[in-house]
Every structure is written in C-alpha cells, then in structure tokens.
Amino acid sequence: MRRILALAPALALLAGCSMSTPLAGTAQPAPPPTTEHAAEPGLPPDPRPAREAKCPYLSAETVQDANGQHVTTVRVSDDKPHPSCFFYRPDGGLQVTVQVYVGTKDVATKLVNRAAPVDTSNPASDPAGWKGGYQPAGDGVVYAVSKGEAAVIVTSNQQQSIKARTVAKKAIAALKL
C-alpha cells in the first residue's frame, strides 16, 4: 500500500503531461510577440518575405553598419514598386525590416500612424520634411515617417531608435523619395 501511495504523485504528474488543457493556476508560455496588424480597409497588408534576394535600395553592409549586427541573409517581399526588405542575423533571427510605400498621401499617413501611433509614439521628423513617430516594438523599435505620398517604416531588433532612423534615412536617400 505504501508503494502505491508513494507512486500516486508521480502518476498524477505523468497523467497531467498528456492532458490537452492546462490545469488552473499553471503558468502557460506567452504567445510569441507579433508586429502584425489587423487588416484595415484601404491599407496594404503587412509585408511578408517572399524570396531570398538583394534589397534593391539598401545593401546588407549598410544595414550591418547602422544596426550593429552582421547580416547573413536578405529576403524581399513581392510588393511593387518597392519590395519590403528583411535582414537576418547569423542565428536566423530577423533584425531589420524596411517597408516602403508610395501611393496616396492618406494611405502613407495611415501606415505610419498604424506603426507608430501619434498618441503613443515619440514624434519623428528626420529626414527634414518627413513626419511620423518612433516607439518600442517587441524587443526593439519602430521608426515610421511619411512625406506626401511616400512612407518608410523600419523595425529593428535593437532598442536604440537612432539605428532604425539611420536605416530609414538611408532608404529614403537611395530611393530619392
């Protein structure tokens, strides 16, 4: 009888491992953080990497220098006329994403406000003539600005906004926006 009582806690633990529903009061892992936004009418969806390729407006070296991490892989989206670019670090993690939108002023402004809402973000006005905001995003930062019909949104896995801002300025200059 003592052996059965001694094994009861172990059996209960093993039985709990096969349960599909968590026990009340048991800590559950948090879902992974996401930067995706709910689909909004009139706004393009968040960009997704489609294939491995060079970014047509930013080199891997430029992003490495600005963000402070080695870039091993670059992927691009199928967006037109300017694909979004995704820069990955050696461990496979995403370090920088650059989204460029050129279309209507209203959509450009809304994209920037979706990424860095006016009510919660710090104001951004660099480069000159561009307006938007920057704020923490996940474990990093987002820097989003628009000017006229163009918007540039940069996310970085680094917490210093100057890194994302530098990437945004380089993209804007390279595209002559």
Side-chain angles (χ1 to χ4, degrees), residues 129-146:
W130 290 74
K131 296 206 181 314
Y134 65 93
Q135 68 181 13
D139 289 336
V141 68
V142 62
Y143 186 89
V145 289
S146 67

Side-chain angles (χ1 to χ4, degrees), residues 74-165:
V74 180
R75 297 181 59 87
V76 297
S77 71
D78 286 330
D79 299 316
K80 305 266 185 217
H82 307 293
S84 293
C85 297
F86 303 82
F87 297 87
Y88 296 85
R89 58 184 189 247
D91 69 0
L94 182 62
Q95 66 169 297
V96 170
T97 301
V98 183
Q99 179 184 11
V100 177
Y101 169 83
V102 177
T104 68
K105 182 177 181 176
D106 183 53
V107 171
T109 301
K110 285 181 180 180
L111 282 171
V112 167
N113 194 46
R114 179 175 75 178
V118 174
D119 295 340
T120 59
S121 68
N122 298 301
S125 58
D126 198 14
W130 290 74
K131 296 206 181 314
Y134 65 93
Q135 68 181 13
D139 289 336
V141 68
V142 62
Y143 186 89
V145 289
S146 67
K147 178 181 178 184
E149 299 172 342
V152 175
I153 301 162
V154 176
T155 58
S156 168
N157 67 343
Q158 302 294 303
Q159 294 180 349
Q160 302 88 357
S161 63
I162 191 168
K163 294 179 178 193
R165 180 178 65 204

